Amino acid sequence: IGTNVTVRGYGVPRRHVLEDYRCKIVTYTSSITGTLDCPLPLGMLGAPVISDDTGHVSGLIMHDGTDQPGFVAITSDIVTEICEQF
């Protein structure tokens, strides 16, 4: 909580312009989901949530167009589970 992140994507109405949105993680609603403190435009669903500290993708936006968009965290356990399925 309080971690600075950047959300990078193509939101409405500028769908063809890659934009960065600076945010902070304000809550974790479960072990892998949380909310951000910045409003995001519609069209940002699936956009990467990038840690400003490491530059690594730490999550994906799972709902947008709200004052506190939600994200799902990308953890090593989740990545391992997905990779094992393929």
Side-chain angles (χ1 to χ4, degrees):
I1 296 177
T3 302
N4 291 316
V5 296
T6 299
V7 178
R8 180 171 287 166
Y10 301 92
V12 173
R14 301 181 71 194
R15 291 179 289 211
H16 304 291
V17 178
L18 182 62
E19 294 190 81
D20 289 345
Y21 297 86
R22 306 281 187 228
C23 310
K24 284 187 188 228
I25 296 174
V26 291
T27 64
Y28 277 104
T29 54
S30 74
S31 60
I32 63 165
T33 61
T35 57
L36 303 175
D37 71 345
C38 58
L40 295 176
L42 292 172
M44 297 293 286
L45 186 66
V49 177
I50 303 165
S51 168
D52 288 354
D53 292 338
T54 66
H56 296 139
V57 174
S58 56
L60 299 173
I61 296 298
M62 65 180 189
H63 62 84
D64 56 8
T66 65
D67 287 338
Q68 286 194 324
F71 69 93
V72 60
I74 306 278
T75 65
S76 59
D77 293 340
I78 292 171
V79 172
T80 299
E81 184 177 327
I82 291 169
C83 290
E84 289 174 352
Q85 294 178 15
F86 294 98

